[in-house]
């Protein structure tokens, strides 16, 4: 072949550089195409601080809220597991809710704070997929966990005599395991489909973490069918728990209305009102994010709502369940008194 080229009058001095530049540009085109269509380049998170006039102050505030959420939920779990009087199905579910909230806030806030301190805004595709999977899994698990808690309150108030038998430890474990399983199935389905779409548009995710709707906006393919399926999936994920919660609390309100004891009525209402506050906070934000049409959404609104149920809700849950609950406050006073006794004994 080389001899044929020489006999044909080809000049190696001019041809080889042309071949070199041609192959180089084709390699660059292939690399660009692969980056655009396989999605293996890093995403850019716009973040919470891009629109803030005082990013340092906002960073400190989020860090304080993060510490409050971790310490509050960890303290609630410690109280429930250390106090025998709190070894009941209701507090078992509350401890699981606190565990979910601790994990929920830990998959987003630490990276947000670290990126702000290091002046970094990128996230790799594997990190984005892992964050998305954990986020959707924990969100789905919490939806079903709140439904299980409503069912537990229904059994305790409407069937008090059969409650210890119907809600034994084995049943509670099965309910919690089912919540985690359904949440993980939801996370696997949404994450695996979302991350297989080609991303050939801008790499900027207008959010502070990899949320499914925000990532889907970067896809260059037609996602209308998937968005419809995701909408139906989210409707089912919300409809089933909301139906369980609504039916449970309808029966609870009827039972409370028939109660003769004013003390029993007050205690039942106090317990159920705490749970209903958490339900309204969490489900209201979920309905906005996943069930309202895209015309109602803007990147700024989405981030505000996500801050509310991703960062603020994990802080509010232990406050709602502790300050409004005499059993928890009593266990906390007992723990503090024991700690004071040990300190005085050591002295």
């Amino acid at each position: 072949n080389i001899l044929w080229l020489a006999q044909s009058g080809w000049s190696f001095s001019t041809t080889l550089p042309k071949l070199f530049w041609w192959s180089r540009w084709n390699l660059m085109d292939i690399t660009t195409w692969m980056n655009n269509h396989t999605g293996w380049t890093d995403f850019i998170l716009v973040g919470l601080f891009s629109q803030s006039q005082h990013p340092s102050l906002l960073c400190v505030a989020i860090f304080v809220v993060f510490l409050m959420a971790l310490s509050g939920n960890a303290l609630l779990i410690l109280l429930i597991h250390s106090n025998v009087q709190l070894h009941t199905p209701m507090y078992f579910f509350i401890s699981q809710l606190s565990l979910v909230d601790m994990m929920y806030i830990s998959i987003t806030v630490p990276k947000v704070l670290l990126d702000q301190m290091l002046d970094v805004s990128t996230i790799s595709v594997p990190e984005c997929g892992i964050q998305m999977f954990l986020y959707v899994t924990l969100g789905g698990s919490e939806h079903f966990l709140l439904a299980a808690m409503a069912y537990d309150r229904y059994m305790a108030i409407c069937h008090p005599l059969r409650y210890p038998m119907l809600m034994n430890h084995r049943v509670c474990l099965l309910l919690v395991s089912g919540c985690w399983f359904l949440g993980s199935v939801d996370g696997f389905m949404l994450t695996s489909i979302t991350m297989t779409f080609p991303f050939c548009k801008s790499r900027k995710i207008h959010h502070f973490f990899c949320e499914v709707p925000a990532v889907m906006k970067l896809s260059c393919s037609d996602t209308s069918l998937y968005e419809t399926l995701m909408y139906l999936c989210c409707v089912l994920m919300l409809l089933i728990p909301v139906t369980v919660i609504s039916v449970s609390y309808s029966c609870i309100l009827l039972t409370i209305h028939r109660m003769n004891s004013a003390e029993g009525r007050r205690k039942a209402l106090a317990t159920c009102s705490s749970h209903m506050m958490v339900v309204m906070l969490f489900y209201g934000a979920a309905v906005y994010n996943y069930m309202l049409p895209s015309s109602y959404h803007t990147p700024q609104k989405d981030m505000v709502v996500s801050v509310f149920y991703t960062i603020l809700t994990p802080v509010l849950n232990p406050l709602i369940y502790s300050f409004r609950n005499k059993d928890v406050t009593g266990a906390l006073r007992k723990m503090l008194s024991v700690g004071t006794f040990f300190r005085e004994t050591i002295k």
Side-chain angles (χ1 to χ4, degrees):
N1 291 334
I2 295 174
L3 182 60
W4 178 82
L5 287 171
Q7 292 174 351
S8 301
W10 281 63
S11 172
F12 286 99
S13 60
T14 58
T15 303
L16 287 179
K18 290 179 180 179
L19 288 173
F20 171 76
W21 285 108
W22 178 85
S23 61
R24 181 181 175 184
W25 281 110
N26 275 272
L27 181 61
M28 290 175 65
D29 290 340
I30 293 171
T31 304
T32 304
W33 185 91
M34 289 178 66
N35 287 337
N36 287 337
H37 289 77
T38 60
W40 283 105
T41 56
D42 291 348
F43 293 115
I44 300 172
L45 295 171
V46 173
L48 290 171
F49 306 100
S50 58
Q51 305 295 327
S52 176
Q53 296 180 353
H54 306 283
S56 300
L57 184 61
L58 180 60
C59 184
V60 172
I62 292 175
F63 180 67
V64 171
V65 171
F66 175 65
L67 291 181
M68 289 175 60
L70 288 185
S71 57
N73 286 287
L75 179 61
L76 191 56
I77 293 173
L78 180 62
L79 286 173
I80 291 171
H81 284 272
S82 61
N83 195 300
V84 180
Q85 294 180 348
L86 301 182
H87 290 181
T88 62
M90 182 181 77
Y91 292 109
F92 173 70
F93 289 122
I94 290 176
S95 67
Q96 291 294 309
L97 182 65
S98 293
L99 178 62
V100 171
D101 285 338
M102 288 177 65
M103 297 173 65
Y104 206 54
I105 197 171
S106 297
I107 61 174
T108 55
V109 173
K111 177 167 177 56
V112 170
L113 297 176
L114 192 63
D115 287 353
Q116 175 64 17
M117 291 193 321
L118 299 178
D119 195 20
V120 177
S121 60
T122 59
I123 183 171
S124 66
V125 174
E127 289 175 344
C128 185
I130 292 171
Q131 188 183 62
M132 184 184 296
F133 171 75
L134 293 175
Y135 172 80
V136 176
T137 296
L138 292 170
S141 300
E142 186 157 350
H143 285 132
F144 287 105
L145 186 59
L146 291 172
M149 294 172 70
Y151 175 73
D152 170 69
R153 290 300 83 208
Y154 160 74
M155 297 302 297
I157 295 173
C158 300
H159 303 281
L161 298 179
R162 301 171 59 193
Y163 176 69
M165 180 182 65
L166 295 175
M167 291 298 294
N168 55 50
H169 188 62
R170 183 169 177 268
V171 173
C172 293
L173 286 176
L174 286 174
L175 285 174
V176 169
S177 301
C179 294
W180 283 101
F181 174 74
L182 292 173
S184 61
V185 169
D186 187 40
F188 178 77
M189 287 175 55
L190 292 182
T191 304
S192 59
I193 297 175
T194 301
M195 298 307 291
T196 53
F197 278 102
F199 301 105
C200 52
K201 295 183 180 179
S202 170
R203 293 286 164 176
K204 288 186 178 181
I205 300 175
H206 291 276
H207 219 294
F208 61 94
F209 66 96
C210 290
E211 193 176 31
V212 175
V215 176
M216 285 301 301
K217 292 178 182 178
L218 306 183
S219 177
C220 56
S221 60
D222 183 17
T223 60
S224 57
L225 178 61
Y226 172 62
E227 288 175 359
T228 304
L229 294 175
M230 184 177 69
Y231 175 80
L232 295 175
C233 178
C234 292
V235 167
L236 290 176
M237 289 289 293
L238 294 174
L239 185 62
I240 295 173
V242 166
T243 302
V244 173
I245 292 171
S246 302
V247 172
S248 298
Y249 278 101
S250 298
C251 297
I252 288 171
L253 290 175
L254 289 174
T255 303
I256 291 175
H257 180 69
R258 295 170 187 165
M259 283 184 178
N260 296 323
S261 171
E263 178 65 21
R265 186 181 302 175
R266 185 195 62 78
K267 186 175 181 181
L269 283 173
T271 303
C272 295
S273 61
S274 299
H275 184 245
M276 284 306 297
M277 287 174 64
V278 175
V279 167
M280 287 187 291
L281 289 173
F282 194 78
Y283 278 89
V287 168
Y288 170 83
N289 264 2
Y290 292 97
M291 294 185 66
L292 289 182
S294 57
S295 58
Y296 289 87
H297 291 260
T298 62
Q300 289 76 19
K301 287 182 181 179
D302 290 348
M303 276 198 279
V304 169
V305 174
S306 296
V307 166
F308 183 77
Y309 74 88
T310 305
I311 300 176
L312 295 182
T313 302
V315 180
L316 296 175
N317 284 352
L319 296 177
I320 292 171
Y321 284 115
S322 60
F323 288 142
R324 295 175 56 87
N325 194 304
K326 290 183 178 180
D327 295 333
V328 175
T329 53
L332 180 59
R333 283 195 297 267
K334 184 178 178 180
M335 177 182 287
L336 294 176
S337 63
V338 170
T340 304
F341 172 76
F342 275 110
R343 283 197 299 269
E344 291 177 354
T345 304
I346 293 173
K347 290 179 181 179

